[in-house]
Amino acid sequence: MQLTNFDVMMLGRDCPLVMGILNATPDSFSDGGLFNAPQHAVARARSMIAEGADIIDIGAESTRPYGDAQPVSEEGELQRLHEVLPHIVALGVAVSIDTMKSRVANWALRQGAAIVNDVWGLQRDPNMARVVGESGASVIVMHNREVVDPSVEIVEDMLRFFDRSLTIASSAGITSSRIVLDPGIGFGKTPQQSIVAIARLDALHSLGCPVLVGASRKRFIASVTPSNPQQRLGGSLAAHLLAAQRGAKIVRVHDVAETVQALRVATEIDNSVEELS
């Protein structure tokens, strides 16, 4: 496994890293069924790398926060990954495994994945932090809630959640340079709370870890401008550009080429303004 230290990955970068989403599932909210065949998944990974993806995030169980996604057993998740993940690792890009199961994470890390993306922030599977800590891998710690509660002050809730996750990580020997925080746009939140989470992203910087934002095609966009997931490119780009302005170091996206172009143009404009001032 090629270890991924996020501080090192970001050296010399003047715009966020781009993580390409690869759903090897039949029921993901936006592209379920498109890439669950192994040859289609590998081809999609190649395409995203060519478009500028820095990381490929592979998931074999839909974790969509709404809808009728079916739970997948450990065996089922491993079976879906078996013919996909090693081939994508061989492409030479940093690979992230999107799972909330420590056994699946452990297998993926042994196959060469470098990052664990846990939508429950090390707080669901009691063995997840140990697996990450012992492997030397990096981890994306995402904020989540069991129940959506419009009355919750979402930024305060995120800070409390991340404080627990960071304590768990520290106890397992996971250093801060191997941790990224994800506000969990759309997970356990109303659309308005997701919008606030992006608007108040700077509140997370005090925790000392880089921040990832995954707003791609999320439902909050439709709350502003009614649309189905495939019609939310404009809203996704707007959210990720504003997240970058607020200090996000990684964006997790379906539309890699368009996001890379938007980030590079925005960065060039910002750099020109600084040169003129």
Side-chain angles (χ1 to χ4, degrees), residues 175-221:
T175 60
S176 60
S177 66
R178 292 159 51 198
I179 301 171
V180 163
L181 305 179
D182 178 354
I185 304 304
F187 286 81
K189 300 172 184 65
T190 66
Q192 184 58 33
Q193 286 171 333
S194 288
I195 291 170
V196 169
I198 297 173
R200 298 276 310 283
L201 207 62
D202 58 338
L204 304 183
H205 298 328
S206 63
L207 299 175
C209 297
V211 174
L212 175 152
V213 170
S216 186
R217 304 183 185 177
K218 291 291 179 72
R219 184 174 56 167
F220 81 90
I221 297 169

Side-chain angles (χ1 to χ4, degrees), residues 130-252:
R130 177 186 59 79
V131 166
V132 174
E134 292 178 354
S135 70
S138 294
V139 63
I140 297 166
V141 171
M142 197 191 84
H143 172 267
N144 212 334
R145 291 179 52 83
E146 294 281 1
V147 178
V148 175
D149 182 351
S151 69
V152 167
E153 207 299 310
I154 201 63
V155 175
E156 292 180 3
D157 194 78
M158 288 193 297
L159 291 172
R160 288 191 295 268
F161 181 97
F162 286 138
D163 184 62
R164 293 192 297 272
S165 292
L166 292 173
T167 298
I168 293 168
S170 178
S171 297
I174 306 170
T175 60
S176 60
S177 66
R178 292 159 51 198
I179 301 171
V180 163
L181 305 179
D182 178 354
I185 304 304
F187 286 81
K189 300 172 184 65
T190 66
Q192 184 58 33
Q193 286 171 333
S194 288
I195 291 170
V196 169
I198 297 173
R200 298 276 310 283
L201 207 62
D202 58 338
L204 304 183
H205 298 328
S206 63
L207 299 175
C209 297
V211 174
L212 175 152
V213 170
S216 186
R217 304 183 185 177
K218 291 291 179 72
R219 184 174 56 167
F220 81 90
I221 297 169
S223 75
V224 178
T225 173
S227 50
N228 63 42
Q230 290 72 29
Q231 296 172 324
R232 297 173 189 166
L233 174 59
S236 302
L237 293 174
H240 288 135
L241 287 173
L242 289 169
Q245 287 182 358
R246 287 160 172 77
K249 298 300 184 183
I250 307 173
V251 293
R252 181 179 181 272

Side-chain angles (χ1 to χ4, degrees), residues 87-139:
H87 295 290
I88 295 172
V89 168
L91 298 176
V93 71
V95 172
S96 168
I97 177 65
D98 181 358
T99 186
M100 50 187 153
K101 301 182 182 74
S102 60
R103 182 183 164 207
V104 174
N106 186 51
W107 176 86
L109 293 171
R110 286 189 286 109
Q111 300 305 308
I115 306 163
V116 174
N117 183 4
D118 183 2
V119 299
W120 282 101
L122 304 177
Q123 297 186 36
R124 173 61 64 87
D125 185 324
N127 292 316
M128 186 67 88
R130 177 186 59 79
V131 166
V132 174
E134 292 178 354
S135 70
S138 294
V139 63

Side-chain angles (χ1 to χ4, degrees), residues 7 18 26 44 57-58 92 109 161 172 174 183 245 255 274:
D7 289 344
V18 174
R44 178 58 180 156
D57 187 46
I58 307 172
L109 293 171
F161 181 97
I174 306 170
Q245 287 182 358
D255 303 290
E274 291 176 5

Side-chain angles (χ1 to χ4, degrees), residues 20 42-43 53 64 66 82 124 247 249:
V42 175
R64 59 186 182 185
Y66 51 91
H82 186 267
R124 173 61 64 87
K249 298 300 184 183

